[in-house]
């Protein structure tokens, strides 16, 4: 099984909802779950979220790493994007922002720099993030509200004890 290749939509000033995951968690998911090849990419992402929210595989985004990654993401606010919300789960990240530069540049910066910071902090090397990411343009106020609430409540829904440390939102 493989995850369908995703087409990324790049639009200046678009509000993007992006999910990216640790490589170890994706490897675990692909080895242990079998999705129907006819399943849409969006449905595959939803199914992955359900499994990986509860999985310990690739779950290195904990303790000090949460603060390290959060500070990095906040440091790029107003330069790469206007940050709306972010949830740092143990093995993946949900982020919503208004893009100020091309989406590929944003994701290269986020994944490249945070990988170096996190690997250095944990005394490890190698690939941290899976090469793919799932993005969806937010097209309406209703979709914006639903997406914001999803990001805000993700760590609480997974019953993580440190859920309050894992979320940042502009309305909080």
């Amino acid at each position: 099984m493989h995850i369908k290749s995703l087409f990324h939509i790049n639009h200046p000033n678009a509000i993007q909802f992006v999910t990216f995951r640790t490589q170890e968690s994706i490897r675990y998911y692909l080895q242990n779950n079998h999705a129907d090849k006819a399943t849409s990419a969006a449905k595959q992402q939803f199914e992955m979220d359900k499994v990986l929210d509860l999985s310990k595989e690739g779950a290195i985004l904990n303790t000090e790493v949460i603060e390290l990654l959060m500070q990095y993401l906040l440091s790029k606010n107003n330069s790469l994007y206007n940050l709306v919300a972010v949830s740092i789960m143990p093995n993946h990240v949900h982020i919503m922002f208004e893009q100020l530069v091309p989406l590929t540049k944003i994701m290269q910066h986020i994944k490249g720099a945070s990988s170096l910071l996190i690997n250095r902090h944990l005394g490890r090397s190698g690939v941290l993030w899976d090469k793919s990411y799932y993005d969806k343009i937010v097209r309406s106020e209703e979709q914006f509200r639903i997406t914001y609430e999803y990001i805000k409540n993700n760590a609480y829904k997974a019953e993580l004890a440190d859920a309050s440390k894992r979320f940042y939102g502009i309305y909080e």
Side-chain angles (χ1 to χ4, degrees):
M1 179 195 127
H2 71 83
I3 302 301
K4 292 182 179 188
S5 295
L6 300 175
F7 176 73
H8 301 291
I9 297 175
N10 184 55
H11 191 276
N13 301 104
I15 301 293
Q16 294 275 8
F17 171 47
V18 180
T19 300
F20 57 102
R21 298 177 167 85
T22 61
Q23 186 181 56
E24 292 172 26
S25 69
I26 293 292
R27 189 176 314 124
Y28 165 80
Y29 181 83
L30 293 175
Q31 290 172 352
N32 296 290
N33 296 277
H34 306 286
D36 180 357
K37 290 183 180 178
T39 303
S40 71
K43 176 86 169 147
Q44 286 182 20
Q45 290 296 321
F46 178 75
E47 292 301 319
M48 259 195 279
D49 276 352
K50 285 194 328 190
V51 171
L52 295 180
D53 276 354
L54 303 174
S55 171
K56 301 292 184 223
E57 296 299 322
I60 62 167
L61 307 176
N62 295 302
T63 59
E64 301 91 21
V65 175
I66 299 167
E67 181 67 23
L68 185 69
L69 181 55
M70 189 69 77
Q71 288 305 313
Y72 175 76
L73 294 172
L74 288 167
S75 78
K76 297 304 169 190
N77 193 23
N78 302 317
S79 62
L80 294 177
Y81 46 72
N82 291 324
L83 188 60
V84 176
V86 62
S87 178
I88 301 172
M89 299 298 285
N91 57 18
H92 64 282
V93 175
H94 297 296
I95 185 169
M96 185 167 54
F97 53 78
E98 175 189 9
Q99 68 179 80
L100 300 178
V101 300
L103 182 60
T104 54
K105 182 177 180 180
I106 293 170
M107 295 313 297
Q108 286 171 348
H109 276 271
I110 288 175
K111 290 165 85 177
S114 67
S115 179
L116 288 171
L117 286 169
I118 293 167
N119 279 342
R120 187 175 300 135
H121 179 77
L122 296 175
R124 47 181 278 168
S125 62
V127 177
L128 171 65
W129 303 113
D130 187 68
K131 67 179 179 175
S132 66
Y133 56 91
Y134 176 75
D135 60 280
K136 185 173 182 105
I137 289 183
V138 177
R139 300 176 189 269
S140 69
E141 286 184 35
E142 175 75 3
Q143 186 183 11
F144 181 94
R145 184 187 59 74
I146 291 168
T147 303
Y148 187 90
E149 289 299 315
Y150 174 80
I151 294 170
K152 179 180 176 179
N153 294 310
N154 198 226
Y156 291 103
K157 185 178 174 187
E159 299 180 357
L160 299 175
D162 57 356
S164 64
K165 294 180 183 178
R166 295 178 174 278
F167 171 73
Y168 165 83
I170 60 173
Y171 301 116
E172 308 309 311

